[in-house]
Amino acid sequence: MLKIRLARHGRKGRAFYRVVVQDSRKPRDGRFVENLGFYDPLTDPATFEIDGERAKYWLSHGAQPTQTVHHFLAKQDLIAPWQPKPRSKRADAKKAAAAAAAE
């Protein structure tokens, strides 16, 4: 499964990140399929640049962005904003039972 995620680079305390398409089984900073752009959190304001056409290509071919990358792509209107998954009825019932027990 392909992921679009951040790969850390730079020295200690001066990190910057590359936005890469990578097999999800590879290490975070390991071999990648394609470099799409970069993210530098140390600039003021933080810099994020990505090749939108290539990102759309990989998304159309099934690559899943991490939550952080999804947030950045949504800011650039490449994909819809991230929505958390709806909770299950079982989780709601468990939470209600815990609240009732606490009272």
Side-chain angles (χ1 to χ4, degrees):
M1 178 171 160
L2 292 175
K3 288 283 208 178
I4 301 176
R5 61 183 176 186
L6 299 176
R8 188 183 193 279
H9 292 278
R11 68 173 201 240
K12 182 170 68 171
R14 300 289 304 169
F16 70 94
Y17 301 88
R18 289 183 182 165
V19 180
V20 296
V21 177
Q22 187 176 42
D23 188 328
S24 62
R25 296 168 292 190
K26 298 285 183 194
R28 178 194 68 188
D29 301 332
R31 198 160 104 195
F32 57 88
V33 177
E34 185 174 354
N35 184 11
L36 299 178
F38 70 91
Y39 167 60
D40 188 357
L42 299 177
T43 59
D44 189 26
T47 307
F48 179 76
E49 288 190 22
I50 192 165
D51 183 355
E53 291 299 319
R54 294 304 294 168
K56 286 181 182 178
Y57 169 82
W58 284 110
L59 290 168
S60 70
H61 280 77
Q64 295 295 312
T66 61
Q67 188 173 347
T68 303
V69 173
H70 193 120
H71 173 74
F72 289 136
L73 293 174
K75 272 187 166 180
Q76 294 193 350
D77 294 327
L78 296 173
I79 56 176
W82 183 77
Q83 294 292 326
K85 291 182 180 178
R87 295 192 335 238
S88 66
K89 291 180 183 178
R90 183 176 180 186
D92 289 339
K94 191 174 182 180
K95 187 175 181 179
E103 293 176 352

XYZ file of all heavy atoms in Angstrom:
828
model
N 0.846 -1.179 0.000
C 0.000 0.000 0.000
C 0.888 1.238 0.000
O 1.824 1.357 0.786
C -0.879 -0.028 1.241
C -1.767 1.145 1.378
S -2.891 0.824 2.738
C -3.388 2.440 3.093
N 0.592 2.172 -0.868
C 1.382 3.391 -0.954
C 0.838 4.463 -0.021
O -0.378 4.605 0.135
C 1.378 3.922 -2.382
C 2.120 3.071 -3.399
C 1.927 3.641 -4.785
C 3.585 2.982 -3.072
N 1.740 5.195 0.597
C 1.393 6.292 1.488
C 2.064 7.561 0.984
O 3.169 7.517 0.449
C 1.915 6.034 2.901
C 1.194 4.968 3.661
C -0.089 5.495 4.161
C -0.524 4.793 5.420
N -1.739 5.325 5.924
N 1.400 8.684 1.179
C 2.028 9.987 0.976
C 2.313 10.501 2.371
O 1.388 10.735 3.150
C 1.106 10.951 0.208
C 0.742 10.373 -1.149
C 1.793 12.301 0.041
C -0.249 11.205 -1.935
N 3.596 10.616 2.713
C 3.948 10.988 4.075
C 5.196 11.840 4.120
O 5.834 12.075 3.104
C 4.108 9.748 4.936
C 5.172 8.777 4.509
C 5.128 7.582 5.429
N 6.050 6.540 5.049
C 6.089 5.364 5.637
N 5.269 5.090 6.616
N 6.956 4.454 5.251
N 5.521 12.303 5.324
C 6.686 13.151 5.531
C 7.897 12.283 5.873
O 7.798 11.370 6.688
C 6.430 14.136 6.682
C 5.277 15.112 6.485
C 5.084 15.954 7.738
C 5.508 16.006 5.289
N 9.040 12.590 5.264
C 10.308 11.930 5.580
C 11.221 12.998 6.176
O 11.445 14.040 5.560
C 10.928 11.324 4.331
N 11.742 12.753 7.367
C 12.540 13.761 8.081
C 13.962 13.812 7.541
O 14.596 12.796 7.298
C 12.589 13.423 9.565
C 13.235 14.497 10.411
C 13.315 14.042 11.868
N 13.642 15.115 12.778
C 14.874 15.570 12.996
N 15.886 15.026 12.352
N 15.084 16.551 13.847
N 14.458 15.040 7.387
C 15.836 15.289 6.973
C 16.369 16.459 7.778
O 15.627 17.127 8.491
C 15.916 15.588 5.472
C 15.582 14.409 4.625
N 16.485 13.421 4.338
C 14.428 14.046 4.036
C 15.905 12.509 3.587
N 14.642 12.866 3.391
N 17.645 16.725 7.654
C 18.255 17.833 8.374
C 18.943 17.362 9.637
O 18.788 16.224 10.070
N 19.699 18.263 10.247
C 20.428 17.874 11.449
C 19.555 17.996 12.685
O 18.409 18.457 12.608
C 21.680 18.731 11.597
C 21.407 20.179 11.905
C 22.701 20.892 12.211
N 22.395 22.093 12.966
C 22.686 23.308 12.566
N 23.310 23.503 11.414
N 22.362 24.344 13.305
N 20.090 17.602 13.817
C 19.355 17.648 15.080
C 18.947 19.084 15.389
O 19.769 19.994 15.370
C 20.249 17.102 16.201
C 19.565 17.056 17.547
C 20.379 16.298 18.557
C 21.663 17.034 18.904
N 22.370 16.434 20.041
N 17.675 19.282 15.658
C 17.159 20.609 15.979
C 16.874 21.497 14.783
O 16.352 22.601 14.942
N 17.225 21.074 13.583
C 16.996 21.863 12.363
C 16.309 20.994 11.307
O 16.752 20.923 10.161
C 18.334 22.389 11.811
C 19.116 23.271 12.734
C 18.506 24.627 12.923
N 18.350 25.265 11.608
C 17.647 26.365 11.420
N 17.026 26.943 12.419
N 17.552 26.898 10.232
N 15.252 20.342 11.698
C 14.585 19.388 10.816
C 13.789 20.077 9.710
O 13.227 21.150 9.906
C 13.654 18.506 11.625
N 13.764 19.450 8.559
C 12.809 19.773 7.508
C 12.335 18.444 6.959
O 12.918 17.395 7.226
C 13.416 20.670 6.420
C 14.436 20.003 5.556
C 14.080 19.421 4.357
C 15.767 19.946 5.944
C 15.025 18.795 3.558
C 16.713 19.330 5.156
C 16.346 18.757 3.962
N 11.254 18.467 6.227
C 10.615 17.223 5.793
C 10.374 17.252 4.298
O 10.023 18.287 3.736
C 9.282 17.039 6.519
C 9.437 16.985 8.009
C 9.414 18.144 8.774
C 9.621 15.778 8.661
C 9.572 18.105 10.143
C 9.779 15.721 10.031
C 9.752 16.890 10.762
O 9.916 16.844 12.118
N 10.546 16.094 3.670
C 10.168 15.917 2.278
C 8.819 15.209 2.254
O 8.571 14.319 3.061
C 11.177 15.049 1.543
C 12.493 15.730 1.315
C 13.401 14.833 0.520
N 14.692 15.480 0.339
C 15.772 14.843 -0.051
N 15.729 13.555 -0.294
N 16.895 15.495 -0.198
N 7.976 15.594 1.338
C 6.699 14.902 1.142
C 6.952 13.860 0.066
O 7.285 14.201 -1.065
C 5.594 15.886 0.694
C 4.287 15.158 0.507
C 5.462 17.020 1.688
N 6.843 12.589 0.445
C 7.205 11.510 -0.465
C 6.074 10.496 -0.604
O 5.238 10.358 0.282
C 8.480 10.771 0.009
C 9.674 11.690 0.002
C 8.297 10.153 1.368
N 6.078 9.799 -1.728
C 5.213 8.641 -1.931
C 6.085 7.435 -1.614
O 7.178 7.293 -2.165
C 4.710 8.554 -3.383
C 3.884 7.299 -3.592
C 3.923 9.794 -3.734
N 5.601 6.596 -0.692
C 6.436 5.519 -0.194
C 5.573 4.312 0.149
O 4.422 4.462 0.539
C 7.158 6.028 1.049
C 8.192 5.142 1.626
C 8.896 5.816 2.791
O 8.262 6.456 3.601
N 10.197 5.662 2.852
N 6.153 3.139 0.025
C 5.483 1.921 0.461
C 5.338 1.995 1.979
O 6.290 2.351 2.675
C 6.301 0.699 0.065
C 5.576 -0.607 0.303
O 4.777 -0.678 1.264
O 5.803 -1.554 -0.455
N 4.163 1.675 2.499
C 3.898 1.830 3.932
C 4.741 0.890 4.788
O 4.893 1.119 5.982
C 2.422 1.603 4.225
O 2.055 0.288 3.876
N 5.317 -0.148 4.195
C 6.130 -1.088 4.961
C 7.579 -0.641 5.099
O 8.338 -1.220 5.862
C 6.088 -2.468 4.298
C 4.681 -3.062 4.311
C 4.606 -4.259 3.424
N 4.759 -3.810 2.025
C 4.552 -4.578 0.978
N 4.205 -5.828 1.130
N 4.699 -4.117 -0.250
N 7.974 0.389 4.382
C 9.350 0.895 4.435
C 9.523 1.809 5.652
O 8.567 2.389 6.148
C 9.679 1.701 3.170
C 9.609 0.903 1.895
C 10.790 -0.005 1.764
C 10.739 -0.736 0.433
N 11.651 -1.843 0.388
N 10.773 1.970 6.114
C 11.025 2.901 7.218
C 10.693 4.337 6.813
O 10.708 4.680 5.629
C 12.525 2.766 7.481
C 12.964 1.545 6.781
C 11.970 1.261 5.696
N 10.435 5.179 7.804
C 10.028 6.569 7.551
C 10.985 7.295 6.612
O 10.571 8.010 5.705
C 9.955 7.326 8.883
C 9.598 8.786 8.717
C 9.853 9.562 9.968
N 11.292 9.639 10.218
C 11.820 10.134 11.322
N 11.060 10.581 12.275
N 13.125 10.171 11.471
N 12.296 7.133 6.826
C 13.281 7.833 6.005
C 13.908 6.925 4.953
O 14.941 7.238 4.388
C 14.378 8.410 6.905
C 13.818 9.380 7.926
O 12.780 9.999 7.640
O 14.408 9.516 9.003
N 13.276 5.799 4.681
C 13.830 4.828 3.740
C 13.569 5.196 2.292
O 13.238 6.335 1.947
N 13.691 4.182 1.440
C 13.546 4.379 0.009
C 12.122 4.813 -0.335
O 11.160 4.290 0.220
C 13.865 3.066 -0.695
C 14.157 3.234 -2.151
C 14.902 2.046 -2.654
N 13.983 1.206 -3.413
C 14.246 -0.029 -3.746
N 15.356 -0.599 -3.367
N 13.385 -0.725 -4.452
N 12.003 5.748 -1.260
C 10.681 6.239 -1.652
C 10.496 6.122 -3.149
O 11.453 5.969 -3.904
C 10.462 7.685 -1.185
C 11.495 8.661 -1.672
C 11.344 9.300 -2.888
C 12.615 8.957 -0.909
C 12.288 10.200 -3.344
C 13.553 9.859 -1.342
C 13.398 10.479 -2.573
N 9.242 6.207 -3.572
C 8.904 6.083 -4.983
C 9.099 7.427 -5.690
O 9.696 7.497 -6.760
C 7.441 5.605 -5.153
C 7.054 5.531 -6.612
C 7.246 4.271 -4.467
N 8.591 8.502 -5.073
C 8.703 9.827 -5.686
C 8.671 10.905 -4.616
O 7.951 10.813 -3.633
C 7.548 10.051 -6.670
C 7.658 11.352 -7.424
C 6.602 11.516 -8.497
O 5.836 10.569 -8.746
O 6.539 12.617 -9.070
N 9.475 11.946 -4.833
C 9.505 13.114 -3.964
C 8.515 14.141 -4.534
O 8.665 14.575 -5.679
C 10.926 13.683 -3.928
C 11.078 14.832 -2.974
O 10.191 15.107 -2.171
N 12.195 15.513 -3.054
N 7.514 14.526 -3.737
C 6.480 15.445 -4.228
C 6.716 16.891 -3.824
O 6.175 17.799 -4.441
C 5.108 15.007 -3.711
C 4.625 13.629 -4.133
C 3.280 13.342 -3.509
C 4.560 13.525 -5.633
N 7.456 17.116 -2.760
C 7.667 18.483 -2.295
C 8.357 18.485 -0.950
O 9.028 17.525 -0.576
N 8.187 19.583 -0.200
C 8.833 19.683 1.106
C 7.997 20.506 2.069
O 7.095 21.251 1.675
C 10.234 20.286 0.971
C 10.232 21.749 0.595
C 10.246 22.729 1.564
C 10.218 22.124 -0.727
C 10.227 24.064 1.215
C 10.207 23.455 -1.088
C 10.213 24.441 -0.102
N 8.323 20.365 3.356
C 7.700 21.122 4.438
C 8.810 21.564 5.372
O 9.594 20.743 5.845
C 6.684 20.254 5.182
C 6.210 20.830 6.489
C 5.564 22.061 6.544
C 6.394 20.147 7.678
C 5.137 22.588 7.743
C 5.950 20.662 8.879
C 5.327 21.883 8.907
O 4.891 22.405 10.097
N 8.909 22.876 5.608
C 9.928 23.420 6.510
C 9.216 24.167 7.637
O 8.760 25.291 7.454
C 10.865 24.354 5.757
C 12.056 24.795 6.600
O 12.117 24.412 7.783
O 12.921 25.498 6.066
N 9.118 23.544 8.824
C 8.409 24.179 9.937
C 9.198 25.284 10.621
O 8.646 26.030 11.429
C 8.168 23.020 10.905
C 9.293 22.095 10.643
C 9.578 22.212 9.167
N 10.486 25.447 10.296
C 11.325 26.423 10.992
C 11.247 27.822 10.400
O 11.662 28.778 11.043
C 12.779 25.938 11.003
C 12.986 24.607 11.733
C 14.435 24.177 11.625
C 12.576 24.720 13.179
N 10.744 27.962 9.192
C 10.592 29.299 8.619
C 9.379 29.968 9.253
O 8.517 29.315 9.841
C 10.399 29.222 7.093
O 9.241 28.442 6.810
C 11.611 28.634 6.416
N 9.320 31.280 9.151
C 8.194 32.013 9.737
C 7.482 32.771 8.636
O 8.031 33.757 8.140
C 8.681 32.966 10.818
C 7.538 33.579 11.605
O 6.472 32.930 11.675
O 7.700 34.683 12.138
N 6.314 32.388 8.175
C 5.519 31.220 8.557
C 6.096 29.941 7.942
O 6.925 30.001 7.033
C 4.146 31.526 7.966
C 4.429 32.355 6.775
C 5.643 33.195 7.152
N 5.649 28.801 8.420
C 6.136 27.514 7.933
C 5.882 27.390 6.430
O 4.857 27.844 5.923
C 5.449 26.377 8.671
N 6.836 26.802 5.720
C 6.768 26.672 4.270
C 6.320 25.265 3.892
O 6.852 24.288 4.405
C 8.155 26.928 3.656
O 8.643 28.165 4.126
C 8.080 26.957 2.146
N 5.340 25.181 2.992
C 4.904 23.895 2.462
C 4.719 24.048 0.965
O 3.928 24.868 0.504
C 3.590 23.451 3.102
C 3.094 22.139 2.578
C 3.673 20.958 2.986
C 2.061 22.085 1.663
C 3.234 19.738 2.506
C 1.610 20.875 1.169
C 2.195 19.697 1.597
N 5.491 23.291 0.191
C 5.358 23.305 -1.263
C 5.225 21.880 -1.751
O 5.922 20.982 -1.276
C 6.565 23.967 -1.919
C 6.604 25.462 -1.712
C 7.658 26.139 -2.562
O 8.070 25.559 -3.584
O 8.057 27.238 -2.187
N 4.323 21.686 -2.704
C 4.090 20.351 -3.252
C 3.692 20.475 -4.713
O 3.088 21.476 -5.125
C 3.003 19.603 -2.438
C 2.963 18.139 -2.807
C 1.658 20.249 -2.603
C 2.213 17.278 -1.830
N 4.047 19.471 -5.495
C 3.642 19.391 -6.896
C 2.217 18.834 -6.917
O 1.998 17.631 -6.748
C 4.609 18.480 -7.654
C 4.300 18.391 -9.139
O 3.269 18.954 -9.582
O 5.087 17.759 -9.855
N 1.245 19.720 -7.081
C -0.168 19.344 -7.010
C -0.590 18.317 -8.038
O -1.379 17.419 -7.743
N -0.064 18.430 -9.252
C -0.440 17.484 -10.305
C 0.010 16.069 -9.961
O -0.733 15.106 -10.130
C 0.165 17.911 -11.649
C -0.441 19.180 -12.205
C -1.929 19.035 -12.478
O -2.360 17.973 -12.993
O -2.675 19.974 -12.158
N 1.234 15.941 -9.461
C 1.734 14.612 -9.099
C 1.001 14.065 -7.875
O 0.737 12.872 -7.782
C 3.240 14.645 -8.841
C 4.061 14.948 -10.067
C 3.799 14.002 -11.220
N 4.234 12.640 -10.916
C 3.938 11.563 -11.622
N 3.180 11.671 -12.698
N 4.371 10.377 -11.266
N 0.654 14.945 -6.942
C -0.097 14.503 -5.765
C -1.453 13.956 -6.190
O -1.884 12.897 -5.722
C -0.256 15.643 -4.776
N -2.137 14.659 -7.094
C -3.427 14.178 -7.600
C -3.268 12.845 -8.326
O -4.110 11.957 -8.203
C -4.041 15.205 -8.545
C -4.612 16.412 -7.850
C -5.220 17.361 -8.854
C -5.746 18.606 -8.193
N -6.298 19.551 -9.173
N -2.178 12.711 -9.076
C -1.914 11.462 -9.784
C -1.809 10.304 -8.795
O -2.454 9.268 -8.973
C -0.621 11.572 -10.602
C -0.135 10.255 -11.145
C -0.672 9.726 -12.304
C 0.855 9.530 -10.489
C -0.237 8.501 -12.804
C 1.291 8.314 -10.975
C 0.747 7.803 -12.130
O 1.178 6.587 -12.603
N -1.004 10.477 -7.743
C -0.813 9.392 -6.785
C -2.078 9.118 -5.979
O -2.379 7.970 -5.663
C 0.374 9.667 -5.872
C 1.663 9.433 -6.586
C 2.570 10.372 -6.985
C 2.178 8.175 -7.028
N 3.611 9.775 -7.633
C 3.402 8.424 -7.680
C 1.725 6.869 -6.931
C 4.166 7.411 -8.226
C 2.498 5.853 -7.479
C 3.702 6.130 -8.122
N -2.833 10.149 -5.657
C -4.103 9.935 -4.960
C -5.070 9.140 -5.834
O -5.796 8.277 -5.338
C -4.714 11.272 -4.542
C -3.984 12.018 -3.427
C -4.510 13.441 -3.310
C -4.121 11.285 -2.112
N -5.068 9.431 -7.129
C -5.950 8.705 -8.040
C -5.514 7.247 -8.217
O -6.305 6.402 -8.609
C -6.010 9.389 -9.401
O -4.783 9.247 -10.086
N -4.258 6.955 -7.928
C -3.752 5.590 -8.029
C -3.753 4.876 -6.687
O -3.101 3.847 -6.524
C -2.345 5.586 -8.635
C -2.367 5.713 -10.119
N -2.599 6.911 -10.767
C -2.226 4.779 -11.099
C -2.574 6.722 -12.064
N -2.354 5.428 -12.302
N -4.468 5.410 -5.698
C -4.690 4.700 -4.449
C -3.762 5.034 -3.299
O -3.854 4.421 -2.246
N -2.858 5.987 -3.456
C -1.968 6.360 -2.350
C -2.785 7.072 -1.274
O -3.624 7.921 -1.574
C -0.851 7.263 -2.837
N -2.541 6.712 -0.014
C -3.272 7.299 1.109
C -2.374 8.300 1.833
O -1.284 7.932 2.268
C -3.695 6.203 2.088
C -4.685 5.224 1.518
C -6.011 5.894 1.201
O -6.557 6.625 2.011
N -6.518 5.640 0.012
N -2.810 9.556 1.998
C -1.986 10.508 2.741
C -2.115 10.277 4.242
O -3.153 9.831 4.725
C -2.563 11.863 2.350
C -3.982 11.579 2.006
C -3.990 10.187 1.430
N -1.051 10.589 4.981
C -1.145 10.568 6.431
C -2.025 11.746 6.847
O -2.316 12.635 6.045
C 0.233 10.697 7.089
O 0.818 11.934 6.700
C 1.134 9.526 6.714
N -2.411 11.788 8.107
C -3.298 12.853 8.565
C -2.639 14.231 8.410
O -3.290 15.190 7.996
C -3.683 12.610 10.023
C -4.751 13.554 10.520
C -5.249 13.185 11.911
O -4.978 12.103 12.404
N -5.964 14.069 12.517
N -1.354 14.328 8.689
C -0.648 15.603 8.566
C -0.592 16.050 7.113
O -0.889 17.209 6.794
C 0.781 15.469 9.124
O 0.707 15.024 10.467
C 1.521 16.784 9.050
N -0.228 15.147 6.222
C -0.152 15.488 4.802
C -1.543 15.801 4.270
O -1.717 16.708 3.461
C 0.526 14.351 4.004
C 0.449 14.609 2.515
C 1.970 14.188 4.452
N -2.548 15.068 4.745
C -3.934 15.328 4.330
C -4.312 16.775 4.680
O -4.927 17.480 3.880
C -4.874 14.348 5.020
C -6.248 14.338 4.442
N -6.803 13.220 3.894
C -7.176 15.312 4.312
C -8.013 13.510 3.454
N -8.262 14.765 3.706
N -3.932 17.217 5.870
C -4.211 18.582 6.305
C -3.565 19.598 5.358
O -4.198 20.575 4.946
C -3.709 18.776 7.737
C -3.795 20.167 8.235
N -4.984 20.753 8.598
C -2.849 21.120 8.417
C -4.762 21.994 8.986
N -3.467 22.236 8.888
N -2.308 19.368 4.986
C -1.606 20.286 4.084
C -2.226 20.282 2.690
O -2.366 21.341 2.069
C -0.128 19.920 3.981
C 0.657 20.219 5.212
C 1.562 19.299 5.712
C 0.515 21.415 5.880
C 2.298 19.565 6.846
C 1.246 21.698 7.028
C 2.142 20.766 7.508
N -2.599 19.109 2.192
C -3.218 19.023 0.869
C -4.579 19.715 0.862
O -4.951 20.352 -0.123
C -3.360 17.560 0.448
C -2.063 16.799 0.189
C -2.372 15.330 -0.086
C -1.277 17.402 -0.945
N -5.316 19.606 1.950
C -6.619 20.264 2.048
C -6.457 21.784 2.073
O -7.286 22.507 1.512
C -7.354 19.788 3.287
N -5.394 22.277 2.706
C -5.143 23.728 2.726
C -4.903 24.266 1.321
O -5.222 25.414 1.034
C -3.921 24.043 3.586
C -4.225 24.240 5.034
C -2.983 24.721 5.745
C -3.315 25.258 7.106
N -2.124 25.736 7.821
N -4.337 23.435 0.455
C -4.073 23.853 -0.924
C -5.199 23.440 -1.870
O -5.037 23.490 -3.087
C -2.742 23.283 -1.392
C -1.579 23.875 -0.628
C -0.251 23.581 -1.274
O -0.152 22.786 -2.195
N 0.769 24.231 -0.784
N -6.342 23.027 -1.322
C -7.531 22.641 -2.093
C -7.269 21.513 -3.089
O -7.866 21.470 -4.159
C -8.119 23.852 -2.824
C -8.663 24.893 -1.858
O -9.158 24.489 -0.789
O -8.571 26.097 -2.169
N -6.389 20.588 -2.736
C -6.147 19.426 -3.589
C -7.082 18.278 -3.243
O -7.389 17.443 -4.096
C -4.691 18.979 -3.483
C -3.664 19.998 -4.001
C -2.258 19.529 -3.700
C -3.847 20.199 -5.493
N -7.534 18.214 -1.975
C -8.484 17.200 -1.529
C -9.428 17.822 -0.512
O -9.194 18.938 -0.034
C -7.779 15.966 -0.908
C -6.877 16.368 0.246
C -7.008 15.190 -1.932
C -6.241 15.183 0.955
N -10.476 17.105 -0.177
C -11.450 17.591 0.806
C -10.818 17.579 2.204
O -9.936 16.759 2.474
C -12.686 16.708 0.784
N -11.259 18.454 3.096
C -10.721 18.460 4.466
C -10.922 17.117 5.153
O -11.862 16.384 4.861
C -11.523 19.554 5.170
C -12.013 20.423 4.084
C -12.213 19.536 2.887
N -10.020 16.814 6.073
C -10.054 15.549 6.797
C -11.251 15.510 7.727
O -11.525 16.469 8.446
C -8.765 15.364 7.595
C -8.689 14.068 8.312
C -8.402 12.858 7.774
C -8.920 13.830 9.699
N -8.416 11.886 8.722
C -8.744 12.464 9.928
C -9.254 14.636 10.768
C -8.891 11.885 11.171
C -9.395 14.062 12.009
C -9.215 12.699 12.204
N -11.976 14.397 7.698
C -13.115 14.184 8.579
C -12.835 12.948 9.420
O -12.499 11.898 8.873
C -14.400 13.955 7.768
C -14.842 15.161 6.979
C -15.305 16.286 7.879
O -15.869 16.062 8.935
N -15.019 17.516 7.468
N -12.964 13.047 10.748
C -12.753 11.844 11.561
C -13.833 10.814 11.257
O -14.947 11.149 10.849
C -12.853 12.356 12.995
C -13.572 13.651 12.908
C -13.308 14.210 11.540
N -13.477 9.545 11.444
C -14.437 8.477 11.205
C -15.541 8.549 12.252
O -15.278 8.866 13.409
C -13.753 7.119 11.298
C -12.797 6.849 10.175
C -12.204 5.475 10.307
C -11.247 5.203 9.176
N -10.622 3.889 9.299
N -16.785 8.268 11.869
C -17.861 8.264 12.857
C -17.651 7.141 13.870
O -17.162 6.061 13.519
C -19.120 8.044 12.032
C -18.655 7.501 10.745
C -17.253 7.954 10.539
N -17.996 7.415 15.103
C -17.844 6.401 16.143
C -18.941 5.353 15.999
O -20.019 5.622 15.477
C -17.913 7.049 17.518
C -16.755 7.985 17.751
C -16.630 8.429 19.183
N -17.851 8.386 19.935
C -18.401 9.424 20.539
N -17.843 10.587 20.464
N -19.507 9.292 21.227
N -18.684 4.184 16.500
C -19.652 3.101 16.408
C -20.689 3.224 17.524
O -20.476 3.901 18.527
C -18.949 1.748 16.517
O -18.400 1.595 17.802
N -21.811 2.552 17.369
C -22.850 2.543 18.404
C -22.314 1.895 19.670
O -22.662 2.295 20.780
C -24.083 1.789 17.898
C -24.814 2.515 16.801
C -26.015 1.714 16.340
C -26.711 2.397 15.189
N -27.846 1.621 14.705
N -21.456 0.919 19.497
C -20.881 0.232 20.648
C -20.013 1.184 21.476
O -20.071 1.176 22.702
C -20.067 -0.955 20.169
C -19.488 -1.783 21.272
C -18.774 -2.986 20.715
N -18.210 -3.781 21.780
C -17.442 -4.813 21.600
N -17.147 -5.199 20.381
N -16.963 -5.489 22.614
N -19.215 2.011 20.802
C -18.369 2.971 21.508
C -19.226 4.009 22.232
O -18.912 4.400 23.359
C -17.420 3.652 20.531
N -20.325 4.452 21.592
C -21.233 5.407 22.232
C -21.888 4.795 23.465
O -22.022 5.447 24.496
C -22.307 5.873 21.246
C -21.748 6.795 20.169
O -20.666 7.382 20.412
O -22.392 6.921 19.122
N -22.300 3.523 23.368
C -22.939 2.843 24.498
C -21.948 2.675 25.644
O -22.297 2.860 26.818
C -23.479 1.485 24.056
N -20.709 2.351 25.319
C -19.676 2.185 26.339
C -19.406 3.505 27.059
O -19.270 3.548 28.276
C -18.397 1.662 25.674
C -17.344 1.191 26.611
C -16.203 0.577 25.810
C -15.133 0.032 26.725
N -14.027 -0.554 25.958
N -19.354 4.605 26.305
C -19.112 5.921 26.878
C -20.293 6.335 27.778
O -20.099 6.876 28.870
C -18.908 6.958 25.782
C -18.483 8.310 26.271
C -18.177 9.239 25.110
C -17.719 10.585 25.620
N -17.404 11.492 24.521
N -21.518 6.055 27.334
C -22.701 6.388 28.133
C -22.737 5.566 29.423
O -23.084 6.076 30.481
C -23.967 6.139 27.318
N -22.355 4.287 29.334
C -22.330 3.434 30.532
C -21.281 3.916 31.530
O -21.522 3.921 32.753
C -22.049 1.987 30.136
N -20.128 4.373 31.027
C -19.077 4.893 31.912
C -19.542 6.180 32.599
O -19.262 6.414 33.772
C -17.809 5.127 31.106
N -20.252 7.028 31.844
C -20.758 8.286 32.419
C -21.818 7.995 33.478
O -21.883 8.662 34.523
C -21.321 9.168 31.325
N -22.687 7.013 33.216
C -23.734 6.647 34.175
C -23.127 6.059 35.449
O -23.597 6.301 36.540
C -24.707 5.659 33.543
N -22.072 5.283 35.306
C -21.399 4.675 36.452
C -20.685 5.726 37.289
O -20.572 5.589 38.508
C -20.427 3.599 35.997
N -20.206 6.772 36.642
C -19.494 7.832 37.367
C -20.451 8.682 38.196
O -20.041 9.259 39.197
C -18.748 8.713 36.370
N -21.709 8.733 37.797
C -22.684 9.537 38.527
C -23.223 8.779 39.688
O -23.206 8.542 40.666
C -23.868 9.913 37.642
C -23.488 10.844 36.545
C -24.650 11.117 35.624
O -25.704 10.482 35.751
O -24.512 11.986 34.758
